[in-house]
Amino acid sequence: MNIQQIASKARNSISNYCINECHAYCCRKGYLILNEEELNLLTQDKRKELEDREFIKQQEGNKFSLNFSNHLGSCPQLNDSKCMIHKNPKRPLTCEKFPIFVDEEKKEIRLSPRCFAVKENKLFPYTHKFLELGFKVNEDYF
Ligand code: SF4
Ligand code: SF4
């Protein structure tokens, strides 16, 4: 199994925890930086009200920040702790990769310290595999 396959398996290993115990904290708190296409995909018919209430802010380089601490209480695509666009290939890369980001060039794995599965060391069996393959594992990067 290569590093990307192990990372993918590691993400899948926490999916029940994400839904049933964490209740998708990462889709309810904080914000995401998105391009226009991603913003439209995530907000759809809610874009205007989120803009009017200033939960969407323009950033440099034609990017936007979408604040999840909004009147909806989360990303607009979150429903019952599940992502409604989980299988959409156009969903943001951050959503696809969170909380494990692989940098093959630097041989580094970055784990988001915001993630409760990371905080509770639920990825330990996989962390061990990353180390065995010669990757550094960094939890303080973000
Ligand atoms: S914060 Fe971590 S454990 Fe919680 S839903 Fe997100 S990825 Fe899953
Ligand atoms: S698109 Fe899905 S995974 Fe990404 S923040 Fe929204 S609900 Fe979460």
Side-chain angles (χ1 to χ4, degrees), residues 5 7 15 28 30 53 56 82 84 99 103 107 110 123 128 140 142:
Q5 289 167 325
S15 57
R28 294 185 286 107
R53 292 175 182 233
I56 294 171
K82 291 184 192 150
M84 302 305 287
D103 186 332
K107 290 210 96 176
R110 303 194 307 262
L123 295 169
H128 192 63
D140 304 318
F142 294 79

Side-chain angles (χ1 to χ4, degrees), residues 14 17-19 22-27 98-99 114-118:
I14 58 169
Y17 175 87
C18 291
I19 294 168
C22 182
H23 304 290
Y25 174 84
C26 51
C27 309
F98 196 87
R114 287 186 59 229
C115 167
F116 282 93
V118 171

Side-chain angles (χ1 to χ4, degrees), residues 13-76:
S13 77
I14 58 169
S15 57
N16 281 341
Y17 175 87
C18 291
I19 294 168
N20 300 318
E21 294 189 52
C22 182
H23 304 290
Y25 174 84
C26 51
C27 309
R28 294 185 286 107
K29 298 288 172 206
Y31 63 91
L32 262 188
I33 301 293
L34 304 163
N35 63 30
E36 179 99 39
E37 192 186 3
E38 292 167 338
L39 182 67
N40 286 333
L41 177 66
L42 266 63
T43 57
Q44 298 183 18
D45 62 345
K46 305 274 185 338
R47 176 166 174 170
K48 188 166 182 325
E49 65 184 80
L50 285 159
E51 259 164 356
D52 289 347
R53 292 175 182 233
E54 300 186 355
F55 293 120
I56 294 171
K57 294 213 171 116
Q58 178 112 36
Q59 307 287 319
E60 281 179 14
N62 283 331
K63 297 273 184 175
F64 301 84
S65 66
L66 171 60
N67 189 343
F68 293 156
S69 298
N70 55 46
H71 62 294
L72 305 169
S74 68
C75 169

